Amino acid sequence: QVQLVESGGGLVQAGGSLRLSCAASGNVFSINAMGWYRQAPGKQRELVAKITSGGSTNYADSVKGRFTISRDNAKNTMYLQMNSLKPEDTAVYYCDAERGIPLQYRYWGQGTQVTVSS
């Protein structure tokens, strides 16, 4: 079992920055990959960024060059640094952790609201 707790969401002006955090606890050594997803009203949940245990990353095209995903293994915490925020970034952001290759288990955080005003 893995528990995920997100923080850092809030209201920010367009062009501003925000950093999201996701603290993992439980069977953290079993996690193969972690990522950030987001879901805007009326839209499907989409991948924002992902990082594997080996450090490989990938990003949605819409956030490349603006967002950076990172992981502090000592603190069992994942971060999403969001710069140059746009109104279209407004969504609930969810932390995700995965076990197994192929996937065996998937865990979600409760989500944190990010609102970008223009």
Side-chain angles (χ1 to χ4, degrees):
Q1 181 69 270
V2 174
Q3 296 81 44
L4 304 172
V5 179
E6 298 147 301
S7 61
L11 176 65
V12 66
Q13 295 282 346
S17 298
L18 209 59
R19 189 177 77 158
L20 305 183
S21 299
C22 175
S25 60
N27 297 324
V28 296
F29 296 112
S30 67
I31 297 173
N32 299 116
M34 296 183 70
W36 290 98
Y37 289 73
R38 68 185 181 187
Q39 187 167 24
K43 295 185 177 181
Q44 299 278 1
R45 187 174 297 187
E46 65 174 352
L47 174 69
V48 177
K50 189 175 183 179
I51 185 167
T52 69
S53 59
S56 298
T57 60
N58 61 76
Y59 298 88
D61 288 341
S62 60
V63 307
K64 286 181 180 178
R66 300 189 297 120
F67 291 10
T68 303
I69 189 170
S70 61
R71 187 174 177 179
D72 186 334
N73 291 330
K75 296 181 178 180
N76 295 318
T77 301
M78 179 181 63
Y79 304 95
L80 184 68
Q81 179 65 47
M82 305 185 293
N83 298 326
S84 302
L85 283 162
K86 304 174 181 180
E88 49 262 46
D89 295 319
T90 295
V92 177
Y93 284 70
Y94 296 91
C95 179
D96 161 69
E98 300 172 5
R99 291 182 59 195
I101 301 175
L103 180 67
Q104 297 181 52
Y105 300 97
R106 192 172 199 169
Y107 307 94
W108 294 100
Q110 80 286 350
T112 185
Q113 177 71 47
V114 172
T115 302
V116 184
S117 62
S118 59

mmCIF file of all heavy atoms in Angstrom, residues 2 4 22 24 27-37 47 49-58 69 71 73 78 95-101 103 105-107:
data_model
loop_
_atom_site.group_PDB
_atom_site.id
_atom_site.type_symbol
_atom_site.label_atom_id
_atom_site.label_comp_id
_atom_site.label_asym_id
_atom_site.label_seq_id
_atom_site.Cartn_x
_atom_site.Cartn_y
_atom_site.Cartn_z
ATOM 1 N N VAL A 2 0.446 2.244 -0.758
ATOM 2 C CA VAL A 2 1.122 3.530 -0.853
ATOM 3 C C VAL A 2 0.098 4.622 -0.600
ATOM 4 O O VAL A 2 -1.012 4.585 -1.140
ATOM 5 C CB VAL A 2 1.783 3.726 -2.227
ATOM 6 C CG1 VAL A 2 2.365 5.131 -2.346
ATOM 7 C CG2 VAL A 2 2.867 2.676 -2.449
ATOM 8 N N LEU A 4 -0.474 8.842 -0.760
ATOM 9 C CA LEU A 4 0.032 10.032 -1.421
ATOM 10 C C LEU A 4 -0.710 11.250 -0.896
ATOM 11 O O LEU A 4 -1.943 11.258 -0.861
ATOM 12 C CB LEU A 4 -0.150 9.933 -2.930
ATOM 13 C CG LEU A 4 0.472 8.705 -3.608
ATOM 14 C CD1 LEU A 4 0.045 8.644 -5.067
ATOM 15 C CD2 LEU A 4 1.993 8.750 -3.500
ATOM 16 N N CYS A 22 4.161 16.192 -3.636
ATOM 17 C CA CYS A 22 3.459 14.945 -3.363
ATOM 18 C C CYS A 22 4.336 14.093 -2.469
ATOM 19 O O CYS A 22 5.400 13.631 -2.896
ATOM 20 C CB CYS A 22 3.140 14.209 -4.663
ATOM 21 S SG CYS A 22 2.399 12.576 -4.412
ATOM 22 N N ALA A 24 4.973 10.705 -0.454
ATOM 23 C CA ALA A 24 4.590 9.300 -0.496
ATOM 24 C C ALA A 24 4.994 8.600 0.793
ATOM 25 O O ALA A 24 6.061 8.861 1.359
ATOM 26 C CB ALA A 24 5.233 8.601 -1.688
ATOM 27 N N ASN A 27 4.706 1.582 1.253
ATOM 28 C CA ASN A 27 5.684 0.753 0.538
ATOM 29 C C ASN A 27 6.349 1.549 -0.581
ATOM 30 O O ASN A 27 6.227 1.224 -1.768
ATOM 31 C CB ASN A 27 5.005 -0.496 -0.018
ATOM 32 C CG ASN A 27 4.447 -1.392 1.058
ATOM 33 O OD1 ASN A 27 5.042 -1.523 2.124
ATOM 34 N ND2 ASN A 27 3.312 -2.018 0.782
ATOM 35 N N VAL A 28 7.069 2.587 -0.195
ATOM 36 C CA VAL A 28 7.624 3.522 -1.172
ATOM 37 C C VAL A 28 8.708 2.892 -2.040
ATOM 38 O O VAL A 28 8.892 3.305 -3.187
ATOM 39 C CB VAL A 28 8.169 4.784 -0.484
ATOM 40 C CG1 VAL A 28 7.035 5.544 0.193
ATOM 41 C CG2 VAL A 28 9.245 4.425 0.539
ATOM 42 N N PHE A 29 9.409 1.898 -1.536
ATOM 43 C CA PHE A 29 10.485 1.284 -2.311
ATOM 44 C C PHE A 29 9.969 0.422 -3.453
ATOM 45 O O PHE A 29 10.744 0.038 -4.324
ATOM 46 C CB PHE A 29 11.400 0.466 -1.400
ATOM 47 C CG PHE A 29 12.119 1.278 -0.378
ATOM 48 C CD1 PHE A 29 11.817 1.155 0.966
ATOM 49 C CD2 PHE A 29 13.104 2.177 -0.754
ATOM 50 C CE1 PHE A 29 12.477 1.911 1.918
ATOM 51 C CE2 PHE A 29 13.776 2.939 0.183
ATOM 52 C CZ PHE A 29 13.459 2.806 1.530
ATOM 53 N N SER A 30 8.697 0.136 -3.453
ATOM 54 C CA SER A 30 8.106 -0.663 -4.515
ATOM 55 C C SER A 30 7.643 0.173 -5.699
ATOM 56 O O SER A 30 7.227 -0.380 -6.715
ATOM 57 C CB SER A 30 6.919 -1.468 -3.974
ATOM 58 O OG SER A 30 5.852 -0.624 -3.599
ATOM 59 N N ILE A 31 7.706 1.493 -5.593
ATOM 60 C CA ILE A 31 7.212 2.370 -6.644
ATOM 61 C C ILE A 31 8.181 2.391 -7.822
ATOM 62 O O ILE A 31 9.372 2.637 -7.652
ATOM 63 C CB ILE A 31 7.001 3.795 -6.109
ATOM 64 C CG1 ILE A 31 5.932 3.792 -5.013
ATOM 65 C CG2 ILE A 31 6.604 4.740 -7.237
ATOM 66 C CD1 ILE A 31 5.777 5.122 -4.309
ATOM 67 N N ASN A 32 7.665 2.131 -9.011
ATOM 68 C CA ASN A 32 8.470 2.165 -10.226
ATOM 69 C C ASN A 32 8.444 3.524 -10.910
ATOM 70 O O ASN A 32 9.425 3.921 -11.543
ATOM 71 C CB ASN A 32 7.991 1.103 -11.219
ATOM 72 C CG ASN A 32 8.097 -0.297 -10.681
ATOM 73 O OD1 ASN A 32 7.078 -0.981 -10.511
ATOM 74 N ND2 ASN A 32 9.312 -0.731 -10.391
ATOM 75 N N ALA A 33 7.318 4.218 -10.796
ATOM 76 C CA ALA A 33 7.179 5.501 -11.457
ATOM 77 C C ALA A 33 6.155 6.348 -10.729
ATOM 78 O O ALA A 33 5.241 5.829 -10.085
ATOM 79 C CB ALA A 33 6.760 5.320 -12.917
ATOM 80 N N MET A 34 6.309 7.649 -10.835
ATOM 81 C CA MET A 34 5.345 8.583 -10.290
ATOM 82 C C MET A 34 5.059 9.655 -11.341
ATOM 83 O O MET A 34 5.889 9.910 -12.215
ATOM 84 C CB MET A 34 5.851 9.245 -9.011
ATOM 85 C CG MET A 34 6.071 8.272 -7.864
ATOM 86 S SD MET A 34 6.582 9.092 -6.332
ATOM 87 C CE MET A 34 5.055 9.935 -5.875
ATOM 88 N N GLY A 35 3.899 10.260 -11.231
ATOM 89 C CA GLY A 35 3.553 11.273 -12.203
ATOM 90 C C GLY A 35 2.503 12.228 -11.694
ATOM 91 O O GLY A 35 1.921 12.044 -10.617
ATOM 92 N N TRP A 36 2.298 13.268 -12.475
ATOM 93 C CA TRP A 36 1.255 14.246 -12.229
ATOM 94 C C TRP A 36 0.247 14.187 -13.366
ATOM 95 O O TRP A 36 0.620 14.199 -14.544
ATOM 96 C CB TRP A 36 1.830 15.658 -12.128
ATOM 97 C CG TRP A 36 2.633 15.901 -10.891
ATOM 98 C CD1 TRP A 36 3.983 15.851 -10.766
ATOM 99 C CD2 TRP A 36 2.117 16.253 -9.600
ATOM 100 N NE1 TRP A 36 4.350 16.147 -9.480
ATOM 101 C CE2 TRP A 36 3.229 16.394 -8.741
ATOM 102 C CE3 TRP A 36 0.839 16.459 -9.092
ATOM 103 C CZ2 TRP A 36 3.090 16.736 -7.394
ATOM 104 C CZ3 TRP A 36 0.697 16.794 -7.759
ATOM 105 C CH2 TRP A 36 1.820 16.929 -6.932
ATOM 106 N N TYR A 37 -1.012 14.117 -13.015
ATOM 107 C CA TYR A 37 -2.117 14.197 -13.954
ATOM 108 C C TYR A 37 -2.980 15.389 -13.585
ATOM 109 O O TYR A 37 -2.942 15.868 -12.457
ATOM 110 C CB TYR A 37 -2.961 12.922 -13.920
ATOM 111 C CG TYR A 37 -2.289 11.706 -14.519
ATOM 112 C CD1 TYR A 37 -1.253 11.063 -13.859
ATOM 113 C CD2 TYR A 37 -2.704 11.198 -15.749
ATOM 114 C CE1 TYR A 37 -0.636 9.945 -14.407
ATOM 115 C CE2 TYR A 37 -2.105 10.077 -16.304
ATOM 116 C CZ TYR A 37 -1.072 9.461 -15.623
ATOM 117 O OH TYR A 37 -0.470 8.347 -16.173
ATOM 118 N N LEU A 47 -2.251 13.105 -18.623
ATOM 119 C CA LEU A 47 -0.898 13.095 -18.081
ATOM 120 C C LEU A 47 -0.244 14.452 -18.280
ATOM 121 O O LEU A 47 -0.272 15.004 -19.374
ATOM 122 C CB LEU A 47 -0.061 12.014 -18.768
ATOM 123 C CG LEU A 47 1.423 11.982 -18.396
ATOM 124 C CD1 LEU A 47 1.602 11.534 -16.951
ATOM 125 C CD2 LEU A 47 2.199 11.063 -19.336
ATOM 126 N N ALA A 49 3.105 15.085 -16.462
ATOM 127 C CA ALA A 49 4.519 14.732 -16.424
ATOM 128 C C ALA A 49 4.691 13.436 -15.655
ATOM 129 O O ALA A 49 3.895 13.118 -14.772
ATOM 130 C CB ALA A 49 5.356 15.845 -15.779
ATOM 131 N N LYS A 50 5.743 12.702 -15.983
ATOM 132 C CA LYS A 50 6.010 11.417 -15.347
ATOM 133 C C LYS A 50 7.499 11.249 -15.140
ATOM 134 O O LYS A 50 8.301 11.702 -15.958
ATOM 135 C CB LYS A 50 5.456 10.283 -16.221
ATOM 136 C CG LYS A 50 5.476 8.905 -15.595
ATOM 137 C CD LYS A 50 4.780 7.907 -16.512
ATOM 138 C CE LYS A 50 4.706 6.521 -15.902
ATOM 139 N NZ LYS A 50 3.996 5.562 -16.787
ATOM 140 N N ILE A 51 7.870 10.583 -14.050
ATOM 141 C CA ILE A 51 9.270 10.295 -13.774
ATOM 142 C C ILE A 51 9.382 8.867 -13.268
ATOM 143 O O ILE A 51 8.606 8.420 -12.426
ATOM 144 C CB ILE A 51 9.863 11.319 -12.768
ATOM 145 C CG1 ILE A 51 11.363 11.089 -12.591
ATOM 146 C CG2 ILE A 51 9.128 11.270 -11.437
ATOM 147 C CD1 ILE A 51 12.066 12.231 -11.876
ATOM 148 N N THR A 52 10.358 8.124 -13.791
ATOM 149 C CA THR A 52 10.565 6.741 -13.394
ATOM 150 C C THR A 52 11.581 6.660 -12.269
ATOM 151 O O THR A 52 12.252 7.637 -11.933
ATOM 152 C CB THR A 52 11.054 5.891 -14.572
ATOM 153 O OG1 THR A 52 12.391 6.281 -14.908
ATOM 154 C CG2 THR A 52 10.158 6.063 -15.784
ATOM 155 N N SER A 53 11.706 5.475 -11.684
ATOM 156 C CA SER A 53 12.692 5.272 -10.627
ATOM 157 C C SER A 53 14.110 5.489 -11.132
ATOM 158 O O SER A 53 15.004 5.813 -10.344
ATOM 159 C CB SER A 53 12.553 3.869 -10.038
ATOM 160 O OG SER A 53 12.720 2.871 -11.031
ATOM 161 N N GLY A 54 14.329 5.315 -12.437
ATOM 162 C CA GLY A 54 15.631 5.561 -13.027
ATOM 163 C C GLY A 54 15.886 7.002 -13.400
ATOM 164 O O GLY A 54 16.989 7.337 -13.855
ATOM 165 N N GLY A 55 14.893 7.859 -13.233
ATOM 166 C CA GLY A 55 15.063 9.274 -13.495
ATOM 167 C C GLY A 55 14.602 9.747 -14.859
ATOM 168 O O GLY A 55 14.708 10.944 -15.159
ATOM 169 N N SER A 56 14.098 8.848 -15.693
ATOM 170 C CA SER A 56 13.591 9.263 -16.994
ATOM 171 C C SER A 56 12.303 10.060 -16.824
ATOM 172 O O SER A 56 11.475 9.739 -15.980
ATOM 173 C CB SER A 56 13.334 8.055 -17.884
ATOM 174 O OG SER A 56 14.535 7.343 -18.134
ATOM 175 N N THR A 57 12.140 11.083 -17.640
ATOM 176 C CA THR A 57 10.964 11.945 -17.550
ATOM 177 C C THR A 57 10.301 12.092 -18.906
ATOM 178 O O THR A 57 10.939 11.935 -19.949
ATOM 179 C CB THR A 57 11.328 13.344 -17.024
ATOM 180 O OG1 THR A 57 12.265 13.958 -17.915
ATOM 181 C CG2 THR A 57 11.946 13.258 -15.637
ATOM 182 N N ASN A 58 9.024 12.392 -18.880
ATOM 183 C CA ASN A 58 8.324 12.795 -20.081
ATOM 184 C C ASN A 58 7.231 13.781 -19.698
ATOM 185 O O ASN A 58 6.740 13.773 -18.569
ATOM 186 C CB ASN A 58 7.772 11.603 -20.881
ATOM 187 C CG ASN A 58 6.769 10.777 -20.117
ATOM 188 O OD1 ASN A 58 5.610 11.171 -19.953
ATOM 189 N ND2 ASN A 58 7.192 9.604 -19.662
ATOM 190 N N ILE A 69 9.327 18.250 -13.612
ATOM 191 C CA ILE A 69 9.048 17.247 -12.602
ATOM 192 C C ILE A 69 10.362 16.804 -11.972
ATOM 193 O O ILE A 69 11.378 16.680 -12.652
ATOM 194 C CB ILE A 69 8.280 16.041 -13.196
ATOM 195 C CG1 ILE A 69 7.792 15.102 -12.091
ATOM 196 C CG2 ILE A 69 9.115 15.293 -14.222
ATOM 197 C CD1 ILE A 69 6.832 14.021 -12.588
ATOM 198 N N ARG A 71 12.132 14.561 -8.247
ATOM 199 C CA ARG A 71 11.866 13.627 -7.160
ATOM 200 C C ARG A 71 13.017 13.663 -6.176
ATOM 201 O O ARG A 71 14.178 13.595 -6.569
ATOM 202 C CB ARG A 71 11.683 12.225 -7.750
ATOM 203 C CG ARG A 71 11.234 11.153 -6.781
ATOM 204 C CD ARG A 71 10.965 9.869 -7.557
ATOM 205 N NE ARG A 71 10.589 8.763 -6.694
ATOM 206 C CZ ARG A 71 10.288 7.549 -7.117
ATOM 207 N NH1 ARG A 71 10.315 7.278 -8.419
ATOM 208 N NH2 ARG A 71 9.961 6.597 -6.253
ATOM 209 N N ASN A 73 14.347 11.427 -3.461
ATOM 210 C CA ASN A 73 14.198 10.076 -2.929
ATOM 211 C C ASN A 73 14.381 10.021 -1.412
ATOM 212 O O ASN A 73 13.736 9.215 -0.741
ATOM 213 C CB ASN A 73 15.194 9.133 -3.607
ATOM 214 C CG ASN A 73 14.871 8.885 -5.063
ATOM 215 O OD1 ASN A 73 13.705 8.918 -5.469
ATOM 216 N ND2 ASN A 73 15.892 8.628 -5.866
ATOM 217 N N MET A 78 7.746 13.991 -4.479
ATOM 218 C CA MET A 78 7.816 14.389 -5.875
ATOM 219 C C MET A 78 7.306 15.817 -6.003
ATOM 220 O O MET A 78 6.394 16.227 -5.275
ATOM 221 C CB MET A 78 6.970 13.447 -6.733
ATOM 222 C CG MET A 78 6.962 13.781 -8.215
ATOM 223 S SD MET A 78 5.919 12.645 -9.182
ATOM 224 C CE MET A 78 4.297 12.992 -8.481
ATOM 225 N N CYS A 95 -1.551 13.453 -7.950
ATOM 226 C CA CYS A 95 -0.323 12.685 -7.862
ATOM 227 C C CYS A 95 -0.627 11.212 -8.099
ATOM 228 O O CYS A 95 -1.636 10.691 -7.618
ATOM 229 C CB CYS A 95 0.303 12.884 -6.476
ATOM 230 S SG CYS A 95 1.825 11.975 -6.189
ATOM 231 N N ASP A 96 0.244 10.545 -8.838
ATOM 232 C CA ASP A 96 0.071 9.138 -9.201
ATOM 233 C C ASP A 96 1.346 8.364 -8.890
ATOM 234 O O ASP A 96 2.449 8.845 -9.150
ATOM 235 C CB ASP A 96 -0.265 9.042 -10.693
ATOM 236 C CG ASP A 96 -0.029 7.662 -11.273
ATOM 237 O OD1 ASP A 96 -0.778 6.734 -10.919
ATOM 238 O OD2 ASP A 96 0.900 7.529 -12.107
ATOM 239 N N ALA A 97 1.197 7.169 -8.345
ATOM 240 C CA ALA A 97 2.317 6.260 -8.127
ATOM 241 C C ALA A 97 1.961 4.896 -8.676
ATOM 242 O O ALA A 97 0.816 4.445 -8.544
ATOM 243 C CB ALA A 97 2.667 6.167 -6.643
ATOM 244 N N GLU A 98 2.944 4.215 -9.286
ATOM 245 C CA GLU A 98 2.700 2.947 -9.954
ATOM 246 C C GLU A 98 3.691 1.893 -9.487
ATOM 247 O O GLU A 98 4.858 2.179 -9.248
ATOM 248 C CB GLU A 98 2.786 3.131 -11.472
ATOM 249 C CG GLU A 98 1.773 4.122 -12.007
ATOM 250 C CD GLU A 98 1.969 4.452 -13.467
ATOM 251 O OE1 GLU A 98 2.846 3.832 -14.111
ATOM 252 O OE2 GLU A 98 1.239 5.329 -13.979
ATOM 253 N N ARG A 99 3.194 0.660 -9.374
ATOM 254 C CA ARG A 99 4.008 -0.498 -9.020
ATOM 255 C C ARG A 99 3.892 -1.558 -10.100
ATOM 256 O O ARG A 99 2.795 -1.827 -10.607
ATOM 257 C CB ARG A 99 3.553 -1.124 -7.705
ATOM 258 C CG ARG A 99 3.798 -0.324 -6.464
ATOM 259 C CD ARG A 99 3.318 -1.120 -5.249
ATOM 260 N NE ARG A 99 4.011 -2.404 -5.135
ATOM 261 C CZ ARG A 99 3.605 -3.407 -4.353
ATOM 262 N NH1 ARG A 99 2.509 -3.284 -3.627
ATOM 263 N NH2 ARG A 99 4.301 -4.528 -4.302
ATOM 264 N N GLY A 100 5.000 -2.183 -10.421
ATOM 265 C CA GLY A 100 4.997 -3.322 -11.307
ATOM 266 C C GLY A 100 5.236 -2.978 -12.760
ATOM 267 O O GLY A 100 4.790 -1.947 -13.258
ATOM 268 N N ILE A 101 5.977 -3.843 -13.429
ATOM 269 C CA ILE A 101 6.192 -3.749 -14.868
ATOM 270 C C ILE A 101 5.908 -5.125 -15.456
ATOM 271 O O ILE A 101 6.717 -6.040 -15.285
ATOM 272 C CB ILE A 101 7.631 -3.306 -15.210
ATOM 273 C CG1 ILE A 101 7.936 -1.947 -14.583
ATOM 274 C CG2 ILE A 101 7.817 -3.242 -16.731
ATOM 275 C CD1 ILE A 101 9.369 -1.508 -14.765
ATOM 276 N N LEU A 103 2.202 -2.871 -15.215
ATOM 277 C CA LEU A 103 1.522 -2.256 -14.076
ATOM 278 C C LEU A 103 0.725 -3.279 -13.281
ATOM 279 O O LEU A 103 -0.067 -4.044 -13.839
ATOM 280 C CB LEU A 103 0.603 -1.147 -14.564
ATOM 281 C CG LEU A 103 -0.189 -0.390 -13.501
ATOM 282 C CD1 LEU A 103 0.749 0.425 -12.626
ATOM 283 C CD2 LEU A 103 -1.222 0.521 -14.167
ATOM 284 N N TYR A 105 -0.276 -2.175 -9.655
ATOM 285 C CA TYR A 105 -1.051 -1.336 -8.761
ATOM 286 C C TYR A 105 -0.853 0.123 -9.136
ATOM 287 O O TYR A 105 0.222 0.525 -9.592
ATOM 288 C CB TYR A 105 -0.644 -1.538 -7.301
ATOM 289 C CG TYR A 105 -0.816 -2.950 -6.801
ATOM 290 C CD1 TYR A 105 0.259 -3.823 -6.774
ATOM 291 C CD2 TYR A 105 -2.053 -3.404 -6.354
ATOM 292 C CE1 TYR A 105 0.106 -5.123 -6.321
ATOM 293 C CE2 TYR A 105 -2.211 -4.701 -5.904
ATOM 294 C CZ TYR A 105 -1.127 -5.556 -5.888
ATOM 295 O OH TYR A 105 -1.291 -6.842 -5.442
ATOM 296 N N ARG A 106 -1.891 0.907 -8.916
ATOM 297 C CA ARG A 106 -1.845 2.328 -9.167
ATOM 298 C C ARG A 106 -2.513 3.047 -8.005
ATOM 299 O O ARG A 106 -3.596 2.662 -7.566
ATOM 300 C CB ARG A 106 -2.547 2.670 -10.480
ATOM 301 C CG ARG A 106 -2.312 4.085 -10.963
ATOM 302 C CD ARG A 106 -2.867 4.262 -12.354
ATOM 303 N NE ARG A 106 -2.312 5.419 -13.023
ATOM 304 C CZ ARG A 106 -2.468 5.680 -14.305
ATOM 305 N NH1 ARG A 106 -3.160 4.861 -15.078
ATOM 306 N NH2 ARG A 106 -1.925 6.772 -14.822
ATOM 307 N N TYR A 107 -1.855 4.088 -7.514
ATOM 308 C CA TYR A 107 -2.343 4.845 -6.373
ATOM 309 C C TYR A 107 -2.491 6.309 -6.760
ATOM 310 O O TYR A 107 -1.676 6.852 -7.507
ATOM 311 C CB TYR A 107 -1.379 4.724 -5.192
ATOM 312 C CG TYR A 107 -1.050 3.295 -4.818
ATOM 313 C CD1 TYR A 107 0.076 2.671 -5.333
ATOM 314 C CD2 TYR A 107 -1.873 2.572 -3.960
ATOM 315 C CE1 TYR A 107 0.383 1.356 -5.004
ATOM 316 C CE2 TYR A 107 -1.579 1.257 -3.628
ATOM 317 C CZ TYR A 107 -0.455 0.652 -4.149
ATOM 318 O OH TYR A 107 -0.156 -0.649 -3.822
#
